[in-house]
Amino acid sequence: MSSFADQLKNLGFSASESASENEAEQASTSAPNTRQPVRIQRQTKGRKGKGVTVIFDLPNQPELLADYAKRLRKQCGVGGSVKNGTIELQGDQREVCQQFLQQQGFTAKLAGG
């Protein structure tokens, strides 16, 4: 029977790594890239004249997108969803989205007409 340290080593863990090093590594890999500007656009095409606010160029992390979509829906008081790496909110919510994303550390730009 192997010791616990040997079992951990077989799984890819080393005894020299501390928990704080592992947490720092995970935090650095899961942090969103806030350097790339995020585009916020209002679209009506293919929606029978109903306008929606679409947020493009967010990091492609499903958990992050779902969290931001939930918080934006609640803050704006509207419905919305995550589709193909973008967040869609009902109505013209560009200003609220821009303020929210800037608070999260993103450079948010209003795109389109």
Side-chain angles (χ1 to χ4, degrees), residues 22-98:
N22 289 337
E23 290 174 6
E25 182 179 318
Q26 288 177 350
S28 66
T29 58
S30 65
N33 180 12
T34 59
R35 291 183 181 179
Q36 179 181 0
V38 176
R39 294 181 300 128
I40 304 169
Q41 187 176 46
R42 182 174 182 266
Q43 293 182 350
T44 58
K45 189 174 183 179
R47 303 176 196 281
K48 299 181 182 178
K50 304 287 184 181
V52 296
T53 301
V54 184
I55 304 173
F56 296 97
D57 298 334
L58 285 168
N60 195 11
Q61 300 173 2
E63 304 86 25
L64 181 74
L65 289 173
D67 179 52
Y68 283 177
K70 182 177 181 179
R71 291 165 62 186
L72 280 167
R73 286 193 311 259
K74 187 166 188 145
Q75 187 171 351
C76 297
V78 298
S81 64
V82 177
K83 293 183 181 176
N84 301 325
T86 64
I87 296 176
E88 295 184 4
L89 299 170
Q90 295 176 353
D92 187 2
Q93 310 297 330
R94 292 177 291 179
E95 300 298 327
V96 176
C97 292
Q98 184 177 25

